[in-house]
Structure formats: structure tokens, C-alpha cells
Amino acid sequence: MIQDHNLKIPEQDYRDLDYPSYSMLASISKQGIDVVNGVKNKGFILKFGSLVDDMCFDTSVLSTKYYAGQAPKNPTKNVKDIVDIVLLAINAPIGSNNTTSGLLGSKRVQTVTDDLDSYDLAIVAAANKVGVYQNYTEDKLLNTVKTAGQEYFKDRLSARGKILIKPEMWSHAYQTAETLITHPFSSKYFDPLQIGVEIIYQYKFVTTVNGVKTKGMLDIVMVDHKEKKIYPIDLKTGEPPVELFNEVILMHKYYIQGALYKEALM
């Protein structure tokens, strides 16, 4: 039974398994063995792909894993620098008391809110530290920072411990997931009522290739019990147009991924 090889563990436990995955093998193939100890980068495509996966397969994690931001872009550098300093001094969650140190070792306790109106003293101190808006009156300084920085401040504070998603990406991911689930070409992969067909989402496995243990996670495994066929399905949500997909296969070395999945399912 194919289910016997499905690890059935949380995604983070899978990612913590100390075995190379397709992405690591592809990176080694492209850049050499030195990438093994390189810095992991959660870039746009990886973040977008993970969001689409969760919208398709496990919407229950959306509220705990992601924060849907309100700011379409960051404020100007001066405002951002000031707000970042204010954020740096907040070490407690929203609604809790935050203690900061003042002059001569004094302590100041303040309830954390996501409203910059509560941080006038911190904004003024941060502006002085950065050395900007020195010719502004205090009222003008506060108005400038709050008007331009409120959404950014709220997003950064509220998203702590989560993945911050900007509005455009969230909307694009939702539309992508909705298309995958409802489009005639792909909707069959999300229909659990097909007779004689078993659908497994986020199929995690460990297999051995040339004596080396490797791991993988397939978006979908469709088992047609009537036709005795297994269909491995891996969603691709990259930016290049579909006309260039053959080139993308070579660029990202998806053939390594395909071979690994075939090995795991045979």
C-alpha cells in the first residue's frame, strides 16, 4: 500500500529530517557541494509557493503560519528607520506589558499596541538617534512618521513569529489556488468523490538512491485503483510564462525531482 510509505508527519518535522531533498540535490548539481552549508533564502518564489500549497491543501494553518499584511510597500527610508527602532524596543506581544529602560536606569512599563499613537516618546527619541527631521516641530515629526509608517508598524509587529505576506502576493496566491481547485484541467486533483481514486496530499517520504537516504514531499499523489496507475503531481507556481516551461525544467533541474519521486513511488 502506498500509504504505508507516507510519513504522515507535520511539515516542519519533515523539513527537520537530516536528509537531502530535491532542492538540495539540484543546488549541488548547479553550484557544487559548498551549498550544503550555505545560507537558506526564503525568497519570493518559495514563499509564494508555500502559501499556494497551504491554500490548496491545509487552510487550517493559514492564520497561525502567515500574516496578511496591509502595507503594499515599505515607507521611505527615514520613516522606516524610525519605526524599526521603535519595534526593536518592543519585546512583548500585543496586549502585554513591555518594559523599556530610560535615563539613569529608570524603567518604563507600557502596554503593547499596534497603534503608533501610543509611541510618541519612542518616535521622537528614534528620530533624534537617526538624526533626521531635525528641523521639524514635534507635531510635524509625529504626524509624518505615523501617517507614513502606521501600516508598516502594524504589519511588522503583528507578523512576529509568522510569515508576513504583502497584499498583492496574498491576492495572487488566493487567485492561483482558486484556479487550481476549480479549473477543468486540475480540479480532478481536488475531487475526493471520484470512484476508485485515492488522493493523498503533501505525501512525505524517505527513500534510498544509490545507497544514500533522501527525502521528498509531493503535493499530490493520485492513485487510480481501477487502472492500477499512480500519478505524482507537483504544483509549479513560478513566474515564467508556460511557453518557457521546457527551459524552466532544465534551469531548475526538475528531472532530478521527477527521478526522485519515481524512485519513491515504485
Side-chain angles (χ1 to χ4, degrees):
M1 295 292 291
I2 193 170
Q3 280 283 21
D4 295 338
H5 301 283
N6 185 4
L7 295 180
K8 298 179 182 177
I9 59 177
E11 182 176 344
Q12 189 57 52
D13 290 350
Y14 159 78
R15 298 196 181 282
D16 290 340
L17 292 174
D18 194 21
Y19 302 127
S21 63
Y22 144 73
S23 57
M24 176 59 72
L25 295 174
S27 296
I28 291 173
S29 177
K30 288 187 286 187
Q31 303 172 48
I33 195 66
D34 289 343
V35 301
V36 171
N37 296 316
V39 178
K40 295 181 179 179
N41 178 27
K42 189 74 168 179
F44 173 89
I45 294 177
L46 291 178
K47 185 188 293 186
F48 180 77
S50 295
L51 179 58
V52 171
D53 284 351
D54 288 331
M55 286 181 169
C56 285
F57 307 125
D58 191 3
T59 56
S60 67
V61 304
L62 292 177
S63 62
T64 55
K65 187 174 179 180
Y66 305 95
Y67 178 78
Q70 301 300 311
K73 62 181 181 180
N74 291 343
T76 60
K77 183 180 184 304
N78 286 346
V79 171
K80 181 179 179 299
D81 288 346
I82 291 171
V83 174
D84 283 343
I85 291 174
V86 175
L87 287 166
L88 193 61
I90 301 174
N91 302 308
I94 295 172
S96 301
N97 288 333
N98 185 66
T99 303
T100 56
S101 298
L103 297 174
L104 303 177
S106 62
K107 299 291 184 180
R108 183 170 184 267
V109 179
Q110 180 180 8
T111 301
V112 177
T113 76
D114 59 8
D115 189 344
L116 274 177
D117 279 337
S118 302
Y119 299 92
D120 286 1
L121 293 177
I123 292 172
V124 173
N128 289 332
K129 183 176 182 178
V130 176
V132 296
Y133 302 132
Q134 298 299 293
N135 61 336
Y136 280 25
T137 64
E138 184 171 303
D139 285 344
K140 184 177 180 181
L141 163 65
L142 292 172
N143 183 65
T144 298
V145 173
K146 292 176 185 179
T147 300
Q150 173 57 44
E151 286 186 338
Y152 173 79
F153 174 77
K154 181 178 180 179
D155 283 354
R156 294 291 166 173
L157 187 60
S158 301
R160 286 181 172 179
K162 301 180 181 181
I163 300 172
L164 174 60
I165 305 294
K166 292 188 176 180
E168 183 179 7
M169 181 186 288
W170 190 277
S171 175
H172 188 190
Y174 180 84
Q175 292 172 16
T176 300
E178 185 73 9
T179 299
L180 286 167
I181 293 170
T182 61
H183 194 279
F185 182 78
S186 54
S187 60
K188 59 181 175 289
Y189 302 129
F190 300 91
D191 180 6
L193 301 180
Q194 299 174 76
I195 297 175
V197 174
E198 179 184 4
I199 302 176
I200 308 167
Y201 298 123
Q202 304 283 271
Y203 181 89
K204 308 173 188 72
F205 62 85
V206 171
T207 190
T208 301
V209 179
N210 293 332
V212 178
K213 282 191 173 183
T214 59
K215 66 180 180 180
M217 180 168 66
L218 266 159
D219 290 325
I220 305 169
V221 173
M222 176 180 279
V223 183
D224 188 328
H225 294 287
K226 182 179 179 180
E227 298 293 331
K228 305 299 182 184
K229 291 182 179 180
I230 299 174
Y231 299 93
I233 311 297
D234 196 77
L235 304 180
K236 298 303 178 189
T237 53
E239 293 180 284
V242 68
E243 292 83 3
L244 299 178
F245 191 64
N246 286 340
E247 297 176 27
V248 172
I249 290 174
L250 296 175
M251 179 174 65
H252 292 299
K253 300 187 181 294
Y254 287 150
Y255 50 85
I256 295 177
Q257 186 179 37
L260 181 60
Y261 292 163
K262 181 179 179 180
E263 182 71 25
L265 295 173
M266 289 184 66

